[in-house]
Amino acid sequence: MPHTMFQAYLVRPENDVSLIPSWTRLDALDGEDGYVLLRAVRNTLFDTVLPPEPLRGEGLSTGVGVEQVVPSDDGSTAHAQRAVLDAPAAQRLVQNEVVSFMEKSGTAERGCIFGVSGGGDSNALAYGLRAGLPQERLFAFTIVFRDVMTQAAADRATVLCQELGIHHEVIQPDELGALLGITTSVDALYADFSEVFGSEALHFFGTFLILKTARTLASRRGCSDLAFGYNREDLLAEMLFQLVNGRQPLAYPIRPIGNERIVMPVWRIPKLVLDACHPKFSLENYRERDAHTTRQRSLAFYLGHSLDSVYPSLGLSLLDGFQRAYGDEPSQLRYDSELDVYVTELADDNRRSVVAGLLHRHFRFGNG
C-alpha cells in the first residue's frame, strides 16, 4: 500500500498527539508512554481494489510471471490472478499482437524497414513482422558500432533473419559512414557527440544512427514504414518525460515523420514479456549493453516501470487513456530541412544551434 495514504500518530496520555514519520521503527518507541495510531487519510475501500490476502512466493516455474487484479462480479472484492508465460506462449502473444497491428496499420502496402539488435525486443518483433507482412515488403538491418550494437549482436540478428527468411543487412562502421554521408567517420562523430553531450549519452547517439539509417534504407527500398520495438515501458517513460516538461505526448503507436511513419507494433507489451520470447538472446544482449546512461533517462524509465508495479496494468490503462485524450492532437515533430532531422517542441534555438554545429562538422548539407 502507498505509505502516503496513511498518517502515523504518536498518542501520549492526556491526548498529547504528535506525528511521526512512516519510516520510524517500532523499537525506537521503546520507553514511550503512549501508542502509535495509524489512520488512512482517504475513504478507500481497500477490499475492492486489493486482494484480501498478500500474494506470497510460489515454487519454481520457468517463464515470465504476469499479475492482474480482477474485481468480483458485484465489485465488492478484488482477486489476484497470476500466470507464467514460457517462451512459446510469449511468442504467440507477441506474434498475435504484431499481426493484428499490421492488419490495421496498412504497413504491408507501404513496406517496412526495421532494425534488429539480436536482443529481446527486436527479435520478438521480427517473428511478428514476418508473420504479418509479405516477405518482399520486409527488410531488416543491423548497424555495428561499439556498444550501440556489437558484432556478436549482429551475428545473432543474422542467424535469426536467416531462419525467418527476412532480407537482412549488417552495416559496419565504414559502410555506415558512406551510407549516411558522414564526411569524417562514425568514430569522429561519436567522439564529438560525447564531447558536446557527455560520455553517458551513447543511447541517444545510437537512436540517432538507427533512425537515420532506417530512413535512408527505406528511401532506397521504396518503403515508408519504420518499425521499432518500442514496448509499454518505453512509451510510458517518454510520455512521463513529455508531461513533466509541459508537453503533450508524442503520437503513438503510429508517429508520422514526413512521408514516413514510425510504427510501434509491440507498444502494449511489457518489456519482460518481450524478453521471455527468447531468453538466451535477451540475456546475451544485456551482458553486452553499455552500462552508462543519463540521470534523466534513468528516472524516466524507473517511473515508467513503477506504474505496473504499483498496480498491475496501470501503465497500459494510462497509455490507452492518454491516446484517447490526446490522440487527435499529439505533440508534433517538426522537420528541420537544413539539418535533415525531426525535432520536438522542446528544441529551442540554443539547443538547435548546438546540434547544428555538431552535424555541420560531420555531414555535408546542401551545397556546403
Side-chain angles (χ1 to χ4, degrees), residues 67-86:
E67 295 181 346
Q68 188 174 9
V69 176
V70 180
S72 61
D73 291 340
D74 62 2
S76 62
T77 58
H79 303 281
Q81 294 181 348
R82 282 177 166 174
V84 177
L85 302 178
D86 59 11

Side-chain angles (χ1 to χ4, degrees), residues 39-351:
R39 293 302 301 265
V41 301
R42 304 287 183 188
N43 292 335
T44 303
L45 301 175
F46 290 105
D47 289 344
T48 67
V49 296
L50 294 175
E53 298 292 335
L55 294 179
R56 303 185 183 280
E58 300 180 8
L60 175 64
S61 299
T62 56
V64 64
V66 293
E67 295 181 346
Q68 188 174 9
V69 176
V70 180
S72 61
D73 291 340
D74 62 2
S76 62
T77 58
H79 303 281
Q81 294 181 348
R82 282 177 166 174
V84 177
L85 302 178
D86 59 11
Q91 290 168 11
R92 288 193 299 271
L93 187 154
V94 173
Q95 180 170 308
N96 291 340
E97 187 78 13
V98 175
V99 169
S100 175
F101 182 94
M102 292 294 104
E103 291 174 349
K104 297 174 183 176
S105 67
T107 297
E109 293 74 28
R110 299 171 64 94
C112 182
I113 290 278
F114 75 106
V116 57
S117 69
D121 295 7
S122 62
N123 283 4
L125 176 62
Y127 276 84
L129 291 175
R130 182 65 187 91
L133 296 174
Q135 185 178 26
E136 68 274 12
R137 301 300 286 155
L138 179 62
F139 306 91
F141 70 91
T142 305
I143 62 174
V144 176
F145 180 72
R146 300 193 183 187
D147 290 334
V148 172
M149 216 78 74
T150 65
Q151 184 61 55
D155 293 341
R156 292 195 300 272
T158 298
V159 171
L160 175 72
C161 289
Q162 287 176 344
E163 291 177 351
L164 293 176
I166 298 174
H167 179 86
H168 177 234
E169 296 181 59
V170 176
I171 307 171
Q172 300 295 335
D174 55 339
E175 299 169 326
L176 182 62
L179 177 70
L180 301 184
I182 298 174
T183 57
T184 54
S185 68
V186 181
D187 280 308
L189 173 60
Y190 177 61
D192 199 357
F193 184 95
S194 299
E195 184 69 24
V196 173
F197 297 109
S199 59
E200 297 186 341
L202 179 63
H203 289 97
F204 303 104
F205 182 74
T207 299
F208 166 77
L209 286 183
I210 292 169
L211 180 56
K212 194 169 182 65
T213 301
R215 290 176 56 215
T216 302
L217 293 177
S219 176
R220 293 188 176 188
R221 294 285 182 183
C223 300
S224 55
D225 273 5
L226 321 176
F228 282 77
Y230 294 144
N231 56 61
R232 183 186 300 182
E233 290 86 7
D234 286 331
L235 287 180
L236 286 169
E238 179 187 87
M239 181 186 73
L240 292 172
F241 178 82
Q242 287 287 108
L243 292 174
V244 299
N245 282 284
R247 299 288 188 260
Q248 294 172 205
L250 295 166
Y252 63 88
I254 296 177
R255 183 170 300 167
I257 51 170
N259 295 324
E260 298 161 339
R261 306 186 308 179
I262 294 175
V263 295
M264 312 169 194
V266 295
W267 71 282
R268 297 171 59 87
I269 305 294
K271 171 66 172 169
L272 294 180
V273 173
L274 293 172
D275 282 346
C277 294
H278 306 281
K280 182 179 178 180
F281 281 175
S282 64
L283 178 58
E284 290 174 349
N285 183 260
Y286 288 134
R287 285 172 170 165
E288 296 167 5
R289 179 168 295 180
D290 176 70
H292 302 289
T293 189
T294 63
R295 179 186 180 277
Q296 295 90 333
R297 187 176 186 273
S298 298
L299 179 58
F301 275 104
Y302 176 84
L303 296 175
H305 280 270
S306 295
L307 293 170
D308 280 358
S309 296
V310 170
Y311 201 79
S313 296
L314 172 60
L316 182 58
S317 296
L318 286 175
L319 287 176
D320 283 336
F322 274 101
Q323 188 183 42
R324 292 194 300 272
Y326 297 110
D328 294 333
E329 296 181 357
S331 183
Q332 298 295 321
L333 289 174
R334 177 177 55 83
Y335 181 61
D336 189 317
S337 58
E338 179 192 342
L339 303 178
D340 188 32
V341 295
Y342 287 87
V343 298
T344 72
E345 296 168 338
L346 295 173
D348 57 28
D349 290 341
N350 289 335
R351 289 187 176 98

